[in-house]
């Protein structure tokens, strides 16, 4: 493990900077990031990727299996005076959020899913293909999907 990963606050700020400098400009080639859009990050960790979206006025929701990461996310967002909603849960156990999101982020997540079948199924579930369990709004689309 690198030092930056053991210093959670440093790692949070590095992810936030990366998201601001690279993710948002890339995503905006495909979808404008505007005040009020709903952004979900699956496997959000400490929430660093979501901070720039929150600062732009987006409604952000982060989900991660690790309660300690969610605790840090809530703390770091509070310290940054940023709004965000965070849950320690499996994404498929979150109820009442289907069809809500304009944008879904999965950064450094898919490698934690054991089989290729599970990866493909996960992408279908979150909206990369038509699915009864799609969490995207009817016109929400991820910028890239993999088959």
């Amino acid at each position: 493990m690198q030092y930056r990963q053991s210093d959670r606050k440093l790692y949070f700020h590095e992810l936030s900077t990366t998201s601001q400098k690279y993710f948002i400009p890339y995503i905006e080639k495909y979808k404008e990031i505007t005040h009020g859009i709903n952004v979900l990050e699956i496997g959000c960790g400490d929430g660093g990727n979501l901070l720039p979206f929150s600062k732009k006025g987006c409604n952000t929701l982060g989900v991660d299996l690790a309660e300690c990461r969610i605790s840090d996310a809530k703390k770091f967002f509070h310290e940054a005076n940023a709004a965000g909603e965070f849950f320690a849960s499996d994404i498929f156990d979150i109820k009442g959020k289907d069809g809500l999101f304009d944008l879904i982020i999965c950064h450094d997540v898919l490698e934690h899913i054991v089989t290729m079948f599970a990866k493909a199924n996960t992408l279908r579930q979150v909206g990369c293909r038509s699915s009864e369990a799609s969490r995207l709004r009817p016109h929400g689309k991820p910028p890239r999907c993999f088959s």
Side-chain angles (χ1 to χ4, degrees):
M1 180 184 312
Q2 297 176 357
Y3 172 75
R4 67 184 186 82
Q5 291 169 315
S6 63
D7 181 337
R8 300 313 301 180
K9 193 167 192 174
L10 173 65
Y11 193 56
F12 171 83
H13 287 293
E14 285 182 359
L15 288 176
S16 175
T17 299
T18 298
S19 186
Q20 180 66 45
K21 288 176 71 174
Y22 301 105
F23 292 173
I24 288 177
Y26 175 78
I27 292 166
E28 285 188 320
K29 291 179 184 178
Y30 302 92
K31 177 167 188 60
E32 187 178 5
I33 306 298
T34 58
H35 180 83
I37 72 165
N38 297 316
V39 180
L40 166 66
E41 184 173 15
I42 300 170
C44 69
D46 301 319
N49 289 324
L50 288 174
L51 184 63
F53 292 93
S54 177
K55 295 285 188 178
K56 288 179 79 69
C58 300
N59 304 311
T60 57
L61 173 66
V63 178
D64 199 288
L65 291 172
E67 292 216 20
C68 60
R69 299 287 76 90
I70 293 300
S71 177
D72 285 345
K74 290 176 180 178
K75 176 182 156 195
F76 296 152
F77 261 61
H78 177 75
E79 290 172 357
N81 294 315
E85 196 176 358
F86 296 95
F87 293 101
S89 177
D90 183 306
I91 186 60
F92 298 109
D93 293 336
I94 301 286
K95 304 298 179 211
K97 302 290 185 183
D98 291 354
L100 178 66
F101 299 99
D102 301 293
L103 179 67
I104 298 174
I105 301 169
C106 286
H107 176 246
D108 290 341
V109 171
L110 296 179
E111 66 271 20
H112 298 289
I113 299 172
V114 180
T115 67
M116 290 304 289
F117 175 78
K119 288 180 186 181
N121 189 48
T122 298
L123 291 172
R124 279 188 215 91
Q125 294 292 317
V126 297
C128 283
R129 293 184 173 199
S130 61
S131 167
E132 48 200 63
S134 176
R135 295 187 181 278
L136 286 170
R137 287 184 176 179
H139 299 291
K141 291 185 178 22
R144 295 178 97 157
C145 294
F146 304 94
S147 300

